[in-house]
């Protein structure tokens, strides 16, 4: 376990200047100066009526005036002063509210830079807040994601994680592991008292030793004769059974982590829109389906096969889950150069797909061209099915669709059912029928009925760390089941604590 990096209290943090509103025309623009010298830097360029020195003014109040630079008035501004004690970053901060527009913002930004602040992107403010322990890394990640959220549900879930839902769940993990450690240490002391009622000073002596286990202590316990180590079912002096309690705690923690891991596919789908590719032979109605989903005639539709040549993508949201919906050229074996190029593009899009609508035409018999689609899907699934992340493809990542159900049946439906082994969505894209079922299928794996303040894992870093914790908890369970291996569990508990801390603080 790497040592946790603590902020160096004696190292002076930089004073940074960031433009925090987007570039473009707008009524107002905002620049933030944050750091130990924020007040004196802004003071150098600010002139306000009746304000002699910004360092002397009250915090959390607004101050009207002008920014001047090299004898020139740059803009009329309203400053918001936030002194260190209760600022978001934990540093002195000044919000400079000026007129919107690139020119004004850049002039003030450059003026503050030349006065001593270091130019930085807006999220450097989050880094300062993290360094000063105002937020943890999960809250920082949530804030960074909120500005990119594509759906209201995404914002809601991320705001809850910023408010501390996932952080609290991880702190609970830390608390449980600490409980297990204390119990194991107590158990060990009890065992030592039985084996050696008069402990040697070299053993450290303290029966309440809650510090991390040393290697020598581990070795010492491992070398004990099996008969002298208390069995998991041995009663402790107070009448309880600490090893049983530990069993229960490890199981409770394993369930806790497992439940958190289960939220990852939902959380990560909110922050990283899934690529949904629509695949089918030419003329099955792929573009018509996309237009029906989008509710507008976005894609070119034509009765001749081979209409879509380039791939086209649009973002959609289904019950708050964002998707990047990609229309592709129909796939088939062809000698036509242009069509072959389009099909190659379709293959590329398929390669990056998280989910696929596999479309078949109800009004035509199953044929060789449909076989090409099945082959392409099989190779896609084989290449995607492995992987460590929760969004890895599975057979349910392909949703079979039969379109043109308003026309007389010529397709062998059984052939499609046998190929996919799962329910088929029947559509008439022309009549806009069957889409409720299609939408349900698309989001069925996600818990879209989100309850407020539920902890949700929402990025790869958090997921991979918790997946590691899950593996360690299985090891811990093994240790508890196998008698005489009590000492082995302490290093596992150490590692678990390291993982929870890394999840919250970003280092391990
Ligand atoms: N009757 C009926 N016709 C449909 C339906 N969906 C699409 N069509 C028609 O089928 C033809 C082909 O539709 P497209 O959406 O262009 O098909 P595509 O799969 O995108 O075709 P390519 O881009 O050439 O691969 C058009 O004439 C559509 O009007 C449907 O549900 N019912
Ligand atoms: Mg098309």
């Amino acid at each position: 376990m790497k040592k946790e990096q603590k902020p160096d209290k004696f190292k002076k943090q930089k004073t940074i200047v960031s433009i925090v509103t987007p570039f473009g025309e707008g009524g107002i623009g905002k620049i933030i100066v944050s750091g130990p010298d924020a007040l004196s830097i802004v003071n150098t360029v600010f002139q306000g009526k009746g304000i002699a020195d910004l360092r002397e003014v009250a915090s959390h109040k607004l101050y009207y005036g002008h920014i001047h630079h090299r004898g020139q008035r740059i803009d009329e501004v309203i400053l918001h002063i936030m002194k260190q004690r209760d600022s978001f970053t934990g540093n002195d901060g000044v919000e400079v509210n000026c007129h919107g527009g690139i020119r004004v913002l850049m002039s003030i930004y450059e003026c503050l830079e030349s006065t001593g602040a270091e130019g930085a992107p807006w999220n450097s403010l989050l880094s300062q807040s993290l360094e000063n322990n105002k937020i943890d890394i999960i809250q920082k990640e949530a804030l960074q994601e909120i500005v990119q959220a594509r759906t209201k549900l995404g914002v809601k879930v991320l705001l809850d994680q910023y408010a501390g839902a996932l952080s609290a769940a991880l702190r609970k993990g830390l608390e449980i592991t600490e409980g297990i450690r204390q119990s194991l240490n107590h158990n060990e002391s009890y065992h030592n008292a039985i084996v050696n009622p008069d402990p040697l000073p070299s053993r450290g002596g303290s029966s309440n030793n809650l510090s991390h286990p040393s290697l020598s202590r581990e070795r010492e316990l491992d070398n004990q004769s099996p008969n002298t180590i208390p069995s998991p079912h041995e009663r402790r002096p107070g009448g309880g059974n600490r090893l049983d309690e530990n069993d229960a705690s490890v199981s409770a923690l394993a369930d806790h982590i497992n439940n958190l891991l289960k939220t990852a596919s939902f959380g990560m789908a909110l922050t990283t829109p899934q690529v949904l590719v629509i695949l089918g032979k030419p003329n099955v109605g792929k573009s018509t389906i996309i237009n029906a989903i989008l509710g507008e005639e976005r894609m070119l539709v034509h009765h001749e096969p081979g209409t879509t040549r380039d791939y086209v993508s649009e973002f959609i949201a289904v019950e708050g889950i964002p998707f990047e919906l990609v229309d592709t050229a129909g796939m088939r074996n062809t000698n036509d150069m242009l069509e072959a190029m389009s099909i190659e593009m379709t293959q590329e899009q398929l390669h990056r797909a998280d989910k696929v609508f596999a479309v078949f035409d109800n009004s035509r018999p199953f044929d060789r061209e449909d076989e090409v689609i099945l082959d392409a899907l099989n190779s896609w699934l084989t290449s995607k099915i492995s992987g460590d992340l929760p969004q890895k493809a599975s057979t349910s990542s392909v949703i079979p669709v039969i379109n043109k159900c308003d026309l007389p049946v010529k397709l062998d439906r059984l052939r499609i059912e046998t190929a996919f082994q799962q329910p088929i969505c029947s559509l008439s894209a022309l009549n806009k029928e069957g889409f409720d079922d299609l939408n349900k299928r698309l989001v069925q794996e996600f818990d879209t009925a989100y309850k407020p303040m539920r902890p949700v894992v929402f990025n790869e870093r958090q997921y991979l760390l918790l997946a590691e914790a899950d593996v360690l908890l299985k090891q811990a369970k093994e240790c508890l089941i196998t008698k005489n291996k009590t000492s082995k569990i302490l290093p596992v508990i150490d590692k678990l604590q390291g993982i929870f801390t890394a999840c919250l603080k970003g280092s391990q």
Side-chain angles (χ1 to χ4, degrees):
M1 187 171 50
K2 276 182 219 158
K3 250 186 143 183
E4 189 192 317
Q5 298 219 324
K6 289 203 176 112
D8 182 355
K9 279 191 184 157
F10 301 104
K11 200 176 130 206
K12 196 178 168 191
Q13 277 184 354
K14 285 177 197 156
T15 298
I16 58 172
V17 54
S18 298
I19 298 175
V20 295
T21 44
F23 279 116
E25 288 175 28
I28 201 148
K30 193 188 290 257
I31 292 173
I32 294 186
V33 186
S34 175
D37 301 325
L39 295 171
S40 58
I41 288 173
V42 182
N43 192 45
T44 319
V45 295
F46 177 75
Q47 283 179 17
K49 213 173 165 191
I51 302 163
D53 191 336
L54 278 179
R55 287 166 297 186
E56 308 299 326
V57 301
S59 183
H60 283 77
K61 288 216 161 20
L62 301 177
Y63 298 92
Y64 172 81
H66 292 87
I67 298 289
H68 288 256
H69 191 44
R70 297 194 182 116
Q72 292 216 349
R73 179 180 275 201
I74 296 184
D75 196 22
E76 180 188 36
V77 297
I78 294 177
L79 303 184
H80 183 198
I81 303 288
M82 296 159 297
K83 295 219 172 147
Q84 185 183 14
R85 192 168 41 93
D86 23 43
S87 77
F88 167 74
T89 60
N91 282 320
D92 282 344
V94 183
E95 274 180 21
V96 183
N97 298 287
C98 57
H99 291 108
I102 299 171
R103 245 348 329 134
V104 177
L105 277 166
M106 278 316 289
S107 302
I108 297 179
Y109 179 78
E110 283 160 10
C111 152
L112 290 163
E113 245 189 332
S114 68
T115 317
E118 189 173 301
W122 71 269
N123 48 15
S124 298
L125 296 162
L126 306 184
S127 303
Q128 280 195 344
S129 190
L130 178 71
E131 259 180 66
N132 292 328
N133 289 323
K134 288 276 178 174
I135 53 172
D136 63 36
I137 195 150
I138 290 170
Q139 293 173 299
K140 180 182 181 228
E141 288 168 340
L143 280 173
Q144 278 174 308
E145 289 292 350
I146 284 171
V147 299
Q148 296 173 38
R150 289 186 179 270
T151 65
K152 285 181 191 164
L153 179 64
V155 173
K156 196 160 135 186
V157 172
L158 289 164
L159 271 176
D160 283 351
Q161 309 320 305
Y162 169 55
L166 180 57
S167 308
L170 291 168
R171 279 198 299 274
K172 186 177 168 197
L174 267 176
E175 219 175 87
I176 298 176
T177 44
E178 189 48 38
I180 299 172
R181 172 197 300 293
Q182 290 191 17
S183 165
L184 287 169
N185 278 322
H186 186 283
N187 201 50
E188 184 191 334
S189 309
Y190 169 55
H191 152 72
N192 285 343
I194 293 171
V195 175
N196 183 6
D198 194 12
L200 293 171
S202 62
R203 283 195 176 166
S206 166
S207 62
N208 279 328
N209 181 10
L210 303 183
S211 64
H212 289 214
S214 69
L215 275 175
S216 61
R217 186 179 59 186
E218 208 186 302
R219 243 178 266 126
E220 185 186 327
L221 270 172
D222 284 347
N223 291 338
Q224 299 291 347
S225 134
N227 296 333
T228 61
I229 310 272
S231 82
H233 304 290
E234 190 170 342
R235 310 295 293 179
R236 63 185 163 106
N241 187 333
R242 280 187 179 273
L243 287 172
D244 276 355
E245 279 169 21
N246 287 336
D247 267 352
S249 300
V250 168
S251 293
L253 186 56
D255 289 349
H256 183 61
I257 298 305
N258 224 279
N259 287 336
L260 288 179
L261 281 169
K262 278 189 202 148
T263 66
S265 64
F266 169 64
M268 288 166 75
L270 288 175
T271 52
T272 318
Q274 302 207 316
V275 178
L276 169 60
V277 167
I278 186 157
L279 198 72
K281 69 182 178 187
N283 210 249
V284 290
K286 300 180 293 298
S287 302
T288 311
I289 291 173
I290 295 210
N291 286 342
I293 292 173
L294 295 175
E296 57 172 301
E297 300 307 300
R298 171 75 178 78
M299 309 296 167
L300 196 63
V301 167
H302 193 59
H303 61 272
E304 287 291 327
T307 308
T308 306
R309 288 293 166 112
D310 205 350
Y311 75 89
V312 187
S313 74
E314 282 282 345
F315 283 96
I316 58 159
V318 178
E319 293 188 31
I321 307 288
F323 292 92
E324 183 188 345
L325 181 58
V326 185
D327 188 13
T328 61
M331 276 206 347
R332 62 176 166 185
N333 293 327
T334 177
N335 293 326
D336 179 89
M337 259 258 286
L338 187 61
E339 194 174 358
M341 279 165 67
S342 310
I343 291 170
E344 209 177 300
M345 257 187 236
T346 299
Q347 290 279 16
E348 279 167 24
Q349 291 308 307
L350 182 60
H351 186 67
R352 68 182 198 101
D354 298 302
K355 278 194 161 53
V356 178
F357 283 158
V359 188
F360 300 89
D361 187 339
N362 185 54
S363 67
R364 284 187 280 166
F366 187 89
D367 59 17
R368 180 70 207 119
E369 292 183 355
D370 291 308
E371 288 280 4
V372 172
I373 298 300
L374 292 185
D375 290 348
L377 282 170
N378 273 333
S379 14
W380 174 72
L381 273 172
T382 323
S383 69
K384 283 250 166 173
I385 217 142
S386 57
D388 293 335
L389 293 176
Q391 321 98 312
K392 70 180 177 197
S394 65
T395 37
S396 66
S397 309
V398 180
I399 300 171
V401 174
I402 296 182
N403 187 34
K404 305 197 189 180
C405 287
D406 53 294
L407 295 177
V409 188
K410 289 206 178 134
L411 181 72
D412 177 3
R413 200 181 170 97
L414 196 66
R415 178 73 186 79
I416 310 294
E417 275 167 2
T418 321
F420 291 96
Q421 299 286 322
Q422 55 165 317
I424 293 167
C425 283
S426 302
L427 292 186
S428 167
L430 197 69
N431 297 338
K432 300 187 173 46
E433 283 166 6
F435 285 88
D436 286 350
D437 182 34
L438 188 71
N439 284 347
K440 259 189 219 134
R441 289 287 295 282
L442 202 51
V443 295
Q444 67 184 6
E445 72 192 85
F446 306 119
D447 175 17
T448 47
Y450 170 78
K451 289 192 198 76
M453 281 314 276
R454 257 195 55 200
V456 172
V457 171
F458 58 90
N459 68 24
E460 198 175 313
R461 183 193 74 86
Q462 298 157 5
Y463 178 81
L464 291 177
L465 281 167
L466 290 178
E468 220 181 298
D470 190 47
V471 173
L472 284 169
L473 279 159
K474 288 191 180 99
Q475 282 177 25
K477 271 186 181 171
E478 281 284 307
C479 291
L480 285 169
I481 291 167
T482 324
K483 290 179 186 178
N484 312 328
K485 292 259 181 83
T486 309
S487 66
K488 291 262 191 313
I489 195 179
L490 279 165
V492 178
I493 295 299
D494 255 358
K495 280 191 197 154
L496 275 170
Q497 290 196 322
I499 285 173
F500 294 140
T501 311
C503 232
L504 285 162
K505 302 213 166 153
S507 58
Q508 204 183 346

